[in-house]
mmCIF file of all heavy atoms in Angstrom:
data_model
loop_
_atom_site.group_PDB
_atom_site.id
_atom_site.type_symbol
_atom_site.label_atom_id
_atom_site.label_comp_id
_atom_site.label_asym_id
_atom_site.label_seq_id
_atom_site.Cartn_x
_atom_site.Cartn_y
_atom_site.Cartn_z
ATOM 1 N N TRP A 674 77.047 121.409 110.841
ATOM 2 C CA TRP A 674 78.306 122.080 110.920
ATOM 3 C C TRP A 674 78.846 122.523 109.628
ATOM 4 O O TRP A 674 79.511 123.575 109.537
ATOM 5 C CB TRP A 674 79.322 121.130 111.631
ATOM 6 C CG TRP A 674 79.664 119.932 110.768
ATOM 7 C CD1 TRP A 674 79.018 118.765 110.736
ATOM 8 C CD2 TRP A 674 80.709 119.847 109.838
ATOM 9 N NE1 TRP A 674 79.580 117.911 109.853
ATOM 10 C CE2 TRP A 674 80.630 118.555 109.262
ATOM 11 C CE3 TRP A 674 81.712 120.743 109.387
ATOM 12 C CZ2 TRP A 674 81.537 118.123 108.292
ATOM 13 C CZ3 TRP A 674 82.621 120.269 108.441
ATOM 14 C CH2 TRP A 674 82.538 119.003 107.891
ATOM 15 N N SER A 675 78.562 121.809 108.554
ATOM 16 C CA SER A 675 79.094 122.157 107.236
ATOM 17 C C SER A 675 78.185 123.132 106.502
ATOM 18 O O SER A 675 78.534 123.697 105.457
ATOM 19 C CB SER A 675 79.266 120.887 106.405
ATOM 20 O OG SER A 675 78.007 120.333 106.117
ATOM 21 N N GLY A 676 76.930 123.238 106.960
ATOM 22 C CA GLY A 676 75.974 123.948 106.216
ATOM 23 C C GLY A 676 75.270 123.144 105.132
ATOM 24 O O GLY A 676 74.383 123.652 104.456
ATOM 25 N N GLY A 677 75.689 121.906 105.012
ATOM 26 C CA GLY A 677 75.157 121.081 104.002
ATOM 27 C C GLY A 677 73.689 120.569 104.246
ATOM 28 O O GLY A 677 72.996 120.127 103.304
ATOM 29 N N SER A 678 73.323 120.607 105.519
ATOM 30 C CA SER A 678 72.006 120.125 105.910
ATOM 31 C C SER A 678 71.302 121.276 106.671
ATOM 32 O O SER A 678 71.878 121.790 107.549
ATOM 33 C CB SER A 678 72.045 118.893 106.751
ATOM 34 O OG SER A 678 72.621 117.807 106.017
ATOM 35 N N THR A 679 70.044 121.505 106.284
ATOM 36 C CA THR A 679 69.224 122.507 106.954
ATOM 37 C C THR A 679 67.844 121.900 107.210
ATOM 38 O O THR A 679 67.383 121.076 106.461
ATOM 39 C CB THR A 679 69.067 123.830 106.187
ATOM 40 O OG1 THR A 679 68.526 123.517 104.869
ATOM 41 C CG2 THR A 679 70.424 124.501 105.983
ATOM 42 N N TYR A 680 67.256 122.307 108.317
ATOM 43 C CA TYR A 680 65.977 121.814 108.765
ATOM 44 C C TYR A 680 65.061 122.983 109.257
ATOM 45 O O TYR A 680 65.643 123.889 109.827
ATOM 46 C CB TYR A 680 66.106 120.783 109.850
ATOM 47 C CG TYR A 680 67.148 119.705 109.589
ATOM 48 C CD1 TYR A 680 68.471 119.929 109.965
ATOM 49 C CD2 TYR A 680 66.773 118.570 108.905
ATOM 50 C CE1 TYR A 680 69.404 118.913 109.649
ATOM 51 C CE2 TYR A 680 67.728 117.569 108.619
ATOM 52 C CZ TYR A 680 69.061 117.748 108.991
ATOM 53 O OH TYR A 680 69.964 116.786 108.694
ATOM 54 N N TYR A 681 63.799 122.908 108.968
ATOM 55 C CA TYR A 681 62.915 124.015 109.338
ATOM 56 C C TYR A 681 61.591 123.486 109.935
ATOM 57 O O TYR A 681 61.114 122.418 109.548
ATOM 58 C CB TYR A 681 62.550 124.753 108.103
ATOM 59 C CG TYR A 681 63.726 125.421 107.333
ATOM 60 C CD1 TYR A 681 64.359 124.783 106.342
ATOM 61 C CD2 TYR A 681 64.179 126.680 107.786
ATOM 62 C CE1 TYR A 681 65.457 125.383 105.729
ATOM 63 C CE2 TYR A 681 65.287 127.263 107.155
ATOM 64 C CZ TYR A 681 65.905 126.604 106.118
ATOM 65 O OH TYR A 681 66.996 127.211 105.515
ATOM 66 N N ALA A 682 61.149 124.267 110.896
ATOM 67 C CA ALA A 682 59.743 123.996 111.386
ATOM 68 C C ALA A 682 58.747 124.284 110.262
ATOM 69 O O ALA A 682 58.963 125.133 109.404
ATOM 70 C CB ALA A 682 59.509 124.905 112.599
ATOM 71 N N ASP A 683 57.664 123.527 110.297
ATOM 72 C CA ASP A 683 56.671 123.735 109.264
ATOM 73 C C ASP A 683 56.181 125.109 109.180
ATOM 74 O O ASP A 683 55.834 125.671 108.120
ATOM 75 C CB ASP A 683 55.480 122.760 109.486
ATOM 76 C CG ASP A 683 55.872 121.282 109.166
ATOM 77 O OD1 ASP A 683 56.908 121.094 108.474
ATOM 78 O OD2 ASP A 683 55.112 120.397 109.679
ATOM 79 N N SER A 684 56.115 125.811 110.325
ATOM 80 C CA SER A 684 55.539 127.143 110.346
ATOM 81 C C SER A 684 56.359 128.187 109.661
ATOM 82 O O SER A 684 55.902 129.270 109.288
ATOM 83 C CB SER A 684 55.355 127.609 111.851
ATOM 84 O OG SER A 684 56.610 127.539 112.530
ATOM 85 N N VAL A 685 57.629 127.866 109.361
ATOM 86 C CA VAL A 685 58.515 128.858 108.707
ATOM 87 C C VAL A 685 59.048 128.369 107.407
ATOM 88 O O VAL A 685 59.726 129.116 106.649
ATOM 89 C CB VAL A 685 59.690 129.264 109.582
ATOM 90 C CG1 VAL A 685 59.157 129.740 111.015
ATOM 91 C CG2 VAL A 685 60.705 128.137 109.807
ATOM 92 N N LYS A 686 58.770 127.118 107.036
ATOM 93 C CA LYS A 686 59.322 126.535 105.891
ATOM 94 C C LYS A 686 58.888 127.293 104.659
ATOM 95 O O LYS A 686 57.733 127.655 104.486
ATOM 96 C CB LYS A 686 58.890 125.069 105.777
ATOM 97 C CG LYS A 686 59.734 124.185 104.782
ATOM 98 C CD LYS A 686 59.339 122.706 104.927
ATOM 99 C CE LYS A 686 59.616 122.203 106.234
ATOM 100 N NZ LYS A 686 59.309 120.765 106.381
ATOM 101 N N GLY A 687 59.842 127.629 103.741
ATOM 102 C CA GLY A 687 59.511 128.418 102.565
ATOM 103 C C GLY A 687 59.602 129.875 102.762
ATOM 104 O O GLY A 687 59.601 130.629 101.780
ATOM 105 N N ARG A 688 59.656 130.361 103.976
ATOM 106 C CA ARG A 688 59.772 131.785 104.242
ATOM 107 C C ARG A 688 61.108 132.151 104.946
ATOM 108 O O ARG A 688 61.657 133.218 104.728
ATOM 109 C CB ARG A 688 58.634 132.172 105.256
ATOM 110 C CG ARG A 688 57.265 132.021 104.709
ATOM 111 C CD ARG A 688 56.189 132.621 105.551
ATOM 112 N NE ARG A 688 56.206 132.004 106.965
ATOM 113 C CZ ARG A 688 56.372 132.713 108.062
ATOM 114 N NH1 ARG A 688 56.565 134.014 107.990
ATOM 115 N NH2 ARG A 688 56.333 132.126 109.230
ATOM 116 N N PHE A 689 61.655 131.228 105.760
ATOM 117 C CA PHE A 689 62.926 131.501 106.502
ATOM 118 C C PHE A 689 64.031 130.627 105.840
ATOM 119 O O PHE A 689 63.751 129.578 105.351
ATOM 120 C CB PHE A 689 62.791 131.103 107.942
ATOM 121 C CG PHE A 689 61.921 132.026 108.745
ATOM 122 C CD1 PHE A 689 61.088 132.970 108.180
ATOM 123 C CD2 PHE A 689 61.940 131.907 110.127
ATOM 124 C CE1 PHE A 689 60.259 133.766 108.975
ATOM 125 C CE2 PHE A 689 61.119 132.714 110.938
ATOM 126 C CZ PHE A 689 60.295 133.653 110.319
ATOM 127 N N THR A 690 65.224 131.186 105.851
ATOM 128 C CA THR A 690 66.414 130.505 105.393
ATOM 129 C C THR A 690 67.525 130.609 106.389
ATOM 130 O O THR A 690 67.905 131.716 106.771
ATOM 131 C CB THR A 690 66.840 131.001 104.079
ATOM 132 O OG1 THR A 690 65.796 130.890 103.068
ATOM 133 C CG2 THR A 690 68.073 130.240 103.459
ATOM 134 N N ILE A 691 68.048 129.477 106.804
ATOM 135 C CA ILE A 691 69.223 129.457 107.745
ATOM 136 C C ILE A 691 70.515 129.238 106.897
ATOM 137 O O ILE A 691 70.497 128.377 105.933
ATOM 138 C CB ILE A 691 69.033 128.414 108.809
ATOM 139 C CG1 ILE A 691 70.120 128.596 109.909
ATOM 140 C CG2 ILE A 691 69.014 126.998 108.273
ATOM 141 C CD1 ILE A 691 69.903 127.714 111.146
ATOM 142 N N SER A 692 71.544 129.950 107.249
ATOM 143 C CA SER A 692 72.814 129.774 106.523
ATOM 144 C C SER A 692 73.939 130.109 107.483
ATOM 145 O O SER A 692 73.720 130.611 108.603
ATOM 146 C CB SER A 692 72.865 130.717 105.313
ATOM 147 O OG SER A 692 72.780 132.052 105.674
ATOM 148 N N ARG A 693 75.165 129.831 107.048
ATOM 149 C CA ARG A 693 76.292 130.039 107.914
ATOM 150 C C ARG A 693 77.511 130.485 107.085
ATOM 151 O O ARG A 693 77.655 130.059 105.935
ATOM 152 C CB ARG A 693 76.621 128.860 108.826
ATOM 153 C CG ARG A 693 77.139 127.674 108.103
ATOM 154 C CD ARG A 693 77.203 126.452 109.047
ATOM 155 N NE ARG A 693 78.106 126.626 110.123
ATOM 156 C CZ ARG A 693 78.047 125.956 111.305
ATOM 157 N NH1 ARG A 693 77.100 125.182 111.499
ATOM 158 N NH2 ARG A 693 78.969 126.191 112.224
ATOM 159 N N ASP A 694 78.371 131.286 107.704
ATOM 160 C CA ASP A 694 79.626 131.643 107.112
ATOM 161 C C ASP A 694 80.712 131.320 108.167
ATOM 162 O O ASP A 694 80.867 132.031 109.092
ATOM 163 C CB ASP A 694 79.635 133.188 106.778
ATOM 164 C CG ASP A 694 80.929 133.563 106.133
ATOM 165 O OD1 ASP A 694 81.915 132.904 106.195
ATOM 166 O OD2 ASP A 694 80.919 134.659 105.461
ATOM 167 N N ASN A 695 81.331 130.159 107.942
ATOM 168 C CA ASN A 695 82.286 129.705 108.941
ATOM 169 C C ASN A 695 83.515 130.608 109.041
ATOM 170 O O ASN A 695 84.201 130.680 110.062
ATOM 171 C CB ASN A 695 82.685 128.264 108.645
ATOM 172 C CG ASN A 695 81.592 127.248 109.011
ATOM 173 O OD1 ASN A 695 80.601 127.583 109.722
ATOM 174 N ND2 ASN A 695 81.704 126.038 108.578
ATOM 175 N N ALA A 696 83.841 131.302 107.952
ATOM 176 C CA ALA A 696 84.973 132.255 108.031
ATOM 177 C C ALA A 696 84.654 133.379 108.955
ATOM 178 O O ALA A 696 85.604 134.028 109.487
ATOM 179 C CB ALA A 696 85.285 132.743 106.619
ATOM 180 N N LYS A 697 83.382 133.736 109.102
ATOM 181 C CA LYS A 697 83.006 134.836 109.969
ATOM 182 C C LYS A 697 82.419 134.367 111.265
ATOM 183 O O LYS A 697 81.914 135.190 112.075
ATOM 184 C CB LYS A 697 81.972 135.710 109.242
ATOM 185 C CG LYS A 697 82.508 136.383 108.003
ATOM 186 C CD LYS A 697 81.501 137.293 107.370
ATOM 187 C CE LYS A 697 82.084 138.045 106.184
ATOM 188 N NZ LYS A 697 81.059 138.937 105.532
ATOM 189 N N ASN A 698 82.408 133.059 111.496
ATOM 190 C CA ASN A 698 81.835 132.527 112.728
ATOM 191 C C ASN A 698 80.378 133.044 112.976
ATOM 192 O O ASN A 698 80.057 133.354 114.105
ATOM 193 C CB ASN A 698 82.725 132.880 113.939
ATOM 194 C CG ASN A 698 83.922 131.981 114.143
ATOM 195 O OD1 ASN A 698 84.324 131.321 113.158
ATOM 196 N ND2 ASN A 698 84.436 131.906 115.280
ATOM 197 N N THR A 699 79.623 133.021 111.987
ATOM 198 C CA THR A 699 78.266 133.588 111.997
ATOM 199 C C THR A 699 77.280 132.728 111.364
ATOM 200 O O THR A 699 77.544 132.173 110.300
ATOM 201 C CB THR A 699 78.308 135.006 111.393
ATOM 202 O OG1 THR A 699 79.226 135.852 112.080
ATOM 203 C CG2 THR A 699 76.873 135.633 111.553
ATOM 204 N N VAL A 700 76.128 132.605 111.983
ATOM 205 C CA VAL A 700 74.961 131.979 111.399
ATOM 206 C C VAL A 700 73.903 133.016 111.227
ATOM 207 O O VAL A 700 73.730 133.918 112.050
ATOM 208 C CB VAL A 700 74.466 130.863 112.313
ATOM 209 C CG1 VAL A 700 73.147 130.247 111.806
ATOM 210 C CG2 VAL A 700 75.497 129.736 112.433
ATOM 211 N N TYR A 701 73.194 132.879 110.065
ATOM 212 C CA TYR A 701 72.151 133.852 109.726
ATOM 213 C C TYR A 701 70.779 133.144 109.644
ATOM 214 O O TYR A 701 70.686 131.966 109.379
ATOM 215 C CB TYR A 701 72.430 134.431 108.355
ATOM 216 C CG TYR A 701 73.776 135.097 108.273
ATOM 217 C CD1 TYR A 701 74.867 134.438 107.733
ATOM 218 C CD2 TYR A 701 73.992 136.392 108.771
ATOM 219 C CE1 TYR A 701 76.148 135.053 107.643
ATOM 220 C CE2 TYR A 701 75.272 136.998 108.733
ATOM 221 C CZ TYR A 701 76.330 136.283 108.151
ATOM 222 O OH TYR A 701 77.504 136.900 108.059
ATOM 223 N N LEU A 702 69.755 133.953 109.896
ATOM 224 C CA LEU A 702 68.384 133.536 109.701
ATOM 225 C C LEU A 702 67.690 134.649 108.877
ATOM 226 O O LEU A 702 67.387 135.713 109.415
ATOM 227 C CB LEU A 702 67.656 133.321 110.994
ATOM 228 C CG LEU A 702 66.237 132.704 110.853
ATOM 229 C CD1 LEU A 702 66.325 131.275 110.299
ATOM 230 C CD2 LEU A 702 65.472 132.742 112.157
ATOM 231 N N GLN A 703 67.554 134.386 107.606
ATOM 232 C CA GLN A 703 66.784 135.306 106.696
ATOM 233 C C GLN A 703 65.322 135.045 106.828
ATOM 234 O O GLN A 703 64.916 133.850 106.563
ATOM 235 C CB GLN A 703 67.282 135.135 105.229
ATOM 236 C CG GLN A 703 66.535 135.986 104.290
ATOM 237 C CD GLN A 703 66.867 137.451 104.473
ATOM 238 O OE1 GLN A 703 68.002 137.887 104.696
ATOM 239 N NE2 GLN A 703 65.830 138.308 104.413
ATOM 240 N N MET A 704 64.597 136.022 107.204
ATOM 241 C CA MET A 704 63.116 135.866 107.435
ATOM 242 C C MET A 704 62.371 136.740 106.452
ATOM 243 O O MET A 704 62.493 137.950 106.512
ATOM 244 C CB MET A 704 62.821 136.252 108.862
ATOM 245 C CG MET A 704 63.633 135.482 109.955
ATOM 246 S SD MET A 704 63.083 135.795 111.618
ATOM 247 C CE MET A 704 63.414 137.549 111.743
ATOM 248 N N ASN A 705 61.608 136.103 105.577
ATOM 249 C CA ASN A 705 60.782 136.805 104.570
ATOM 250 C C ASN A 705 59.371 136.569 104.803
ATOM 251 O O ASN A 705 58.986 135.677 105.575
ATOM 252 C CB ASN A 705 61.211 136.341 103.189
ATOM 253 C CG ASN A 705 62.656 136.642 102.842
ATOM 254 O OD1 ASN A 705 63.260 137.612 103.318
ATOM 255 N ND2 ASN A 705 63.252 135.747 101.993
ATOM 256 N N SER A 706 58.543 137.407 104.235
ATOM 257 C CA SER A 706 57.095 137.240 104.361
ATOM 258 C C SER A 706 56.671 137.118 105.783
ATOM 259 O O SER A 706 55.893 136.231 106.125
ATOM 260 C CB SER A 706 56.566 136.032 103.507
ATOM 261 O OG SER A 706 56.992 136.165 102.183
ATOM 262 N N LEU A 707 57.171 138.003 106.577
ATOM 263 C CA LEU A 707 56.898 137.857 107.995
ATOM 264 C C LEU A 707 55.449 138.091 108.367
ATOM 265 O O LEU A 707 54.749 138.895 107.702
ATOM 266 C CB LEU A 707 57.796 138.884 108.784
ATOM 267 C CG LEU A 707 59.271 138.434 108.910
ATOM 268 C CD1 LEU A 707 60.175 139.613 109.263
ATOM 269 C CD2 LEU A 707 59.389 137.378 110.005
ATOM 270 N N LYS A 708 54.980 137.430 109.385
ATOM 271 C CA LYS A 708 53.593 137.452 109.839
ATOM 272 C C LYS A 708 53.592 137.938 111.280
ATOM 273 O O LYS A 708 54.557 137.743 112.022
ATOM 274 C CB LYS A 708 52.986 136.118 109.744
ATOM 275 C CG LYS A 708 53.077 135.437 108.375
ATOM 276 C CD LYS A 708 52.495 134.033 108.420
ATOM 277 C CE LYS A 708 52.552 133.364 107.069
ATOM 278 N NZ LYS A 708 52.086 131.941 107.079
ATOM 279 N N PRO A 709 52.523 138.481 111.762
ATOM 280 C CA PRO A 709 52.419 138.923 113.156
ATOM 281 C C PRO A 709 52.723 137.759 114.107
ATOM 282 O O PRO A 709 53.269 137.947 115.167
ATOM 283 C CB PRO A 709 50.992 139.370 113.301
ATOM 284 C CG PRO A 709 50.663 139.892 111.914
ATOM 285 C CD PRO A 709 51.329 138.974 110.981
ATOM 286 N N GLU A 710 52.319 136.540 113.742
ATOM 287 C CA GLU A 710 52.630 135.413 114.584
ATOM 288 C C GLU A 710 54.092 135.032 114.646
ATOM 289 O O GLU A 710 54.469 134.083 115.444
ATOM 290 C CB GLU A 710 51.781 134.174 114.187
ATOM 291 C CG GLU A 710 51.899 133.808 112.708
ATOM 292 C CD GLU A 710 50.712 134.391 111.878
ATOM 293 O OE1 GLU A 710 50.337 135.629 112.106
ATOM 294 O OE2 GLU A 710 50.188 133.696 111.050
ATOM 295 N N ASP A 711 54.913 135.629 113.888
ATOM 296 C CA ASP A 711 56.419 135.463 113.986
ATOM 297 C C ASP A 711 56.951 136.312 115.101
ATOM 298 O O ASP A 711 58.162 136.164 115.439
ATOM 299 C CB ASP A 711 57.103 135.791 112.689
ATOM 300 C CG ASP A 711 56.705 134.840 111.553
ATOM 301 O OD1 ASP A 711 56.622 133.604 111.844
ATOM 302 O OD2 ASP A 711 56.476 135.316 110.425
ATOM 303 N N THR A 712 56.210 137.182 115.703
ATOM 304 C CA THR A 712 56.671 138.049 116.780
ATOM 305 C C THR A 712 57.147 137.205 117.955
ATOM 306 O O THR A 712 56.380 136.329 118.472
ATOM 307 C CB THR A 712 55.566 138.984 117.240
ATOM 308 O OG1 THR A 712 55.263 139.869 116.162
ATOM 309 C CG2 THR A 712 55.970 139.807 118.439
ATOM 310 N N ALA A 713 58.364 137.385 118.352
ATOM 311 C CA ALA A 713 58.963 136.585 119.460
ATOM 312 C C ALA A 713 60.351 137.070 119.693
ATOM 313 O O ALA A 713 60.913 137.891 118.913
ATOM 314 C CB ALA A 713 59.022 135.130 119.045
ATOM 315 N N VAL A 714 60.954 136.610 120.778
ATOM 316 C CA VAL A 714 62.389 136.693 121.011
ATOM 317 C C VAL A 714 63.040 135.529 120.335
ATOM 318 O O VAL A 714 62.627 134.390 120.557
ATOM 319 C CB VAL A 714 62.747 136.753 122.494
ATOM 320 C CG1 VAL A 714 64.257 136.856 122.697
ATOM 321 C CG2 VAL A 714 62.009 137.942 123.158
ATOM 322 N N TYR A 715 64.022 135.812 119.470
ATOM 323 C CA TYR A 715 64.705 134.766 118.722
ATOM 324 C C TYR A 715 66.049 134.471 119.352
ATOM 325 O O TYR A 715 66.821 135.412 119.632
ATOM 326 C CB TYR A 715 64.850 135.173 117.277
ATOM 327 C CG TYR A 715 63.584 135.059 116.485
ATOM 328 C CD1 TYR A 715 62.504 135.935 116.737
ATOM 329 C CD2 TYR A 715 63.413 134.024 115.525
ATOM 330 C CE1 TYR A 715 61.374 135.754 116.012
ATOM 331 C CE2 TYR A 715 62.241 133.877 114.865
ATOM 332 C CZ TYR A 715 61.206 134.742 115.092
ATOM 333 O OH TYR A 715 59.996 134.604 114.400
#
């Protein structure tokens, strides 16, 4: 809830970053170094 703790699946660790802006009521998922196996509905 605070953004102070984040957790990642091993398959995305080091490539994806989750963050939040509570003032905007929004959570983000920054996805870098994307691979074909990342293809999915999120």
